[in-house]
Amino acid sequence: MSKAFTKEDDEIPERSVRVRSSSGLPPGAINYLTAQGERRLRGELEELLLAQTVKSTKGARERIAELQRVLTSATVVAAPESPADEVLFGATVTVREEGGELTRHRIVGVDETRLDPTWVSWVTPLARALIGTRVGERVRVEEAEFEVVKIEY
């Protein structure tokens, strides 16, 4: 019999499994939250805990566990004490798209994006391009170009 069809090594090393955090961030990445996002998530958790009964749904129990993991692992970032003239985490940025349309995006933590449709995670290409820019500067994300028009905190 050919050696190609025989088992030569019984001790094949196990593949290492990369464990992701509940937020979907890679291990070691900091799970940032804005102070407002932390308050809203904590409020949702408190409401779920108050409404919890023996007959609570599996979905409610899973959401409670998820919120507890998120809030335990989060690093809350306060807004700057004085208005910053550059885009930082937690900023609401108004940008002008190439066609002239104005859109607003708030740069938040990955667990906050479901709280408001205009909020984008700090790890998205758009947010990463905007962080550190000032009013009047332009950024390119994939095929689109954006001009920073206004920065609010």
Side-chain angles (χ1 to χ4, degrees), residues 43-150:
E44 180 184 350
L45 175 60
E46 288 171 7
E47 285 178 22
L48 286 169
L49 288 171
L50 287 173
Q52 189 176 23
T53 66
V54 175
K55 296 181 181 182
S56 290
T57 66
K58 181 181 178 186
R61 289 190 303 273
E62 288 174 352
R63 182 65 178 153
I64 288 170
E66 177 186 5
L67 288 168
Q68 289 171 330
R69 281 191 304 274
V70 165
L71 292 167
T72 300
S73 71
T75 298
V76 178
V77 178
E81 290 185 22
S82 60
D85 63 346
E86 69 179 298
V87 177
L88 302 172
F89 180 83
T92 299
V93 186
T94 303
V95 295
R96 179 175 291 114
E97 298 179 24
E98 289 174 303
E101 181 182 350
L102 295 176
T103 57
R104 290 169 41 109
H105 306 280
R106 181 156 188 232
I107 300 173
V108 298
V110 295
D111 294 305
E112 299 176 77
T113 57
R114 68 193 293 183
L115 298 174
D116 188 296
T118 65
W119 291 6
V120 295
S121 167
W122 66 276
V123 297
T124 62
L126 176 61
R128 292 175 66 93
L130 289 172
I131 290 175
T133 61
R134 299 180 188 311
V135 171
E137 292 184 1
R138 295 177 183 273
V139 297
R140 181 166 283 288
V141 179
E142 297 171 9
E143 300 300 316
E145 186 172 285
F146 302 91
E147 178 186 359
V148 177
V149 175
K150 187 176 183 181

